[in-house]
Amino acid sequence: MAIQIVMDRTGDSRHPFNPSDAKELARAEKRFHELTNAGFTAAVRSGPGQVSHIRSFDPNAEETLFFPRLVGG
């Protein structure tokens, strides 16, 4: 089971999906594109305490984190 974790100002939301299920995988890919097009940064865990920025959907990633764009001035 894979998961997409979306961070926002209220905490996070978690979206588990089965990468072996074509419908769930398509929904996860759609969510990836919607979030990154909205300005979220996507990252996958690459090791203990390490993340790697990704720019395209990785169906093999066990955990994808989405961070919102920082706003400030």
Side-chain angles (χ1 to χ4, degrees):
M1 187 67 77
I3 191 163
Q4 293 176 321
I5 302 171
V6 183
M7 307 299 290
D8 64 22
R9 59 183 166 77
T10 63
D12 66 70
S13 57
R14 294 169 182 262
H15 306 274
F17 67 95
N18 180 351
S20 300
D21 182 314
K23 286 184 182 180
E24 288 186 25
L25 188 62
R27 239 181 321 225
E29 184 170 10
K30 180 180 178 191
R31 184 179 303 110
F32 180 93
H33 292 293
E34 288 173 349
L35 290 166
T36 54
N37 288 339
F40 280 77
T41 299
V44 295
R45 290 196 190 269
S46 55
Q50 299 177 343
V51 294
S52 297
H53 179 242
I54 59 172
R55 296 185 188 278
S56 59
F57 179 70
D58 181 358
N60 298 313
E62 289 184 31
E63 184 176 272
T64 305
L65 305 169
F66 295 91
F67 302 94
R69 181 177 296 159
L70 294 177
V71 178

